[in-house]
Amino acid sequence: MGLEQMIPSLAGEGFFTTQVNKVIAWARKNSLWPYPFGTACCAIEMMATLNSRYDLSRFGAEVIRFSPRQSDLLIVSGRVVLKMMPVLAEIYQQMGEPKWVISMGACASTGGVFNTYPQIQGVDQFIPVDVYIPGCPPRPESLIDGVLKIQKIIDGQAERGEFTRPTVEAN
Amino acid sequence: MSDEKKPEPKLPPTHDSHPASTRVLEENQNDLDQLRDKLAGRCSDVSVQFKQTVIKTDRDNVIAALEILKSDPELKFNMITDITAVDNMRRPDFEPERRFTVIHTVYSVERRKRVRLETDLSEGNPRIPTAAAVYKGAAWIEREIYDMYGIEFAGHPDLRRVLLPDYYEHFPLRKDYPLTGRGERDNFVRAEEVE
Ligand code: SF4
């Protein structure tokens, strides 16, 4: 029920009414500021996504921030090893709320082919992840799809935790 | 279209018949003799393996041998290409006396020659003097070997880990260390639980 129905004199005057949290969500989802945690080859594909050919700015997420305090979307793209994991966790903690995390590629999500002593077998063990993108590396279209899924989470069309880590059984 | 007869295709000369290769072999022989002569008493064997000159030496003589290789006016091996190590543990002929082999590869920029020095180290005492006093560039390479194999370089100016974090307790390229580690990679605190 909009205000314009309750106050007939407002109808047709260029007004519409909505909820404040919906406006905020609409603004947030269309102006995501990603923090690129690019540690390996997946980061190259993330750069391609940001370039004019795929142009992530069509979805409002082109303002890459290199300070975690200014960003609200963490894109973990690449391998994370022993020495890097505390750095990643600290960057996650430094980001202001609300914040979302994309784990891009096989390595960030599960360790990928690197089942070795320094390689973290999935960053979601130590930081919360909202969207997992499969692929080695994922194509730019996949990353764009991931960002669109984050947008769905932000405006309430999807639940947090709805997009779960791919498992071997699910394949 | 010309009616000229096509020239016979020239086959590449075989390895043995090629005059240049005989020349190379002769040169190699001279090189080996020269090395044996210069390093007399500092090495136990000079040979060619896989077309590379290999000098066998030991812990007490390796630095003296490197010094000769670098400073001798006829040898002039003035650049250290690499130092690396091998863990012989899984070899069929393994003996604890020869657990590790440290390999110094030195190169002469001027003569375009390369030689390899091999030093065996025992399991109980994996120590070797540092080459950093002879070749400055050796210091970082030796840190990497210490990081991966736990081989100690006596007299090294700054023997710390270089790739792995300082708290790491194991030496991952040793053959008795499992590929997937001993749980170090699973040992972090979840970010939201930290205050
Ligand atoms: S998933 Fe593939 S492309 Fe991405 S970081 Fe790992 S190895 Fe590189």
Side-chain angles (χ1 to χ4, degrees), chain A residues 39-43 45 77-80 104-109 111-114 119 133-138:
Chain A
T39 44
C41 10
C42 271
E45 216 69 359
S77 47
R79 298 178 281 279
V80 179
M104 175 181 182
C107 288
S109 304
V113 295
F114 303 98
Q119 168 76 16
I133 305 178
C136 177

Side-chain angles (χ1 to χ4, degrees), chain A residues 101-105 108-109 124 128-134 163-166:
Chain A
V101 180
I102 289 181
S103 161
M104 175 181 182
S109 304
D124 59 350
V129 171
D130 294 298
V131 171
Y132 302 82
I133 305 178
F163 307 109
T164 52
R165 177 175 171 175

Side-chain angles (χ1 to χ4, degrees), chain A residues 20-97:
Chain A
V20 174
N21 56 1
K22 279 194 181 155
V23 178
I24 291 174
W26 172 81
R28 267 183 190 150
K29 78 169 194 179
N30 289 307
S31 64
L32 282 168
W33 286 16
Y35 180 93
F37 195 84
T39 44
C41 10
C42 271
I44 305 290
E45 216 69 359
M46 177 175 62
M47 291 170 216
T49 316
L50 292 162
N51 278 340
S52 50
R53 190 175 188 100
Y54 293 97
D55 200 10
L56 199 58
S57 61
R58 291 178 294 158
F59 307 95
E62 85 277 25
V63 192
I64 288 287
R65 288 285 120 172
F66 293 97
S67 162
R69 298 178 202 282
Q70 296 173 349
S71 51
D72 51 6
L73 172 63
L74 176 62
I75 304 181
V76 185
S77 47
R79 298 178 281 279
V80 179
V81 289
L82 275 181
K83 228 174 169 178
M84 213 60 195
M85 192 60 228
V87 180
L88 175 60
E90 191 166 340
I91 282 172
Y92 174 79
Q93 284 160 358
Q94 284 176 344
M95 289 170 64
E97 292 282 354

Side-chain angles (χ1 to χ4, degrees), chain A residues 81-83 85-86 89 92-93 114-121 123-129, chain B residues 148 162-165 167-168 172 177-181 184-192 194:
Chain A
V81 289
L82 275 181
K83 228 174 169 178
M85 192 60 228
Y92 174 79
Q93 284 160 358
F114 303 98
N115 188 9
T116 52
Y117 63 94
Q119 168 76 16
I120 303 296
Q121 304 293 299
V123 294
D124 59 350
Q125 296 173 78
F126 310 117
I127 61 170
V129 171
Chain B
M148 291 292 151
V162 62
L163 293 170
L164 286 162
Y167 64 79
Y168 213 78
Y177 185 75
L179 175 66
T180 49
E184 295 89 351
R185 65 184 187 183
D186 307 318
N187 238 346
F188 292 92
V189 186
R190 265 191 83 86
E192 64 265 60
V194 180

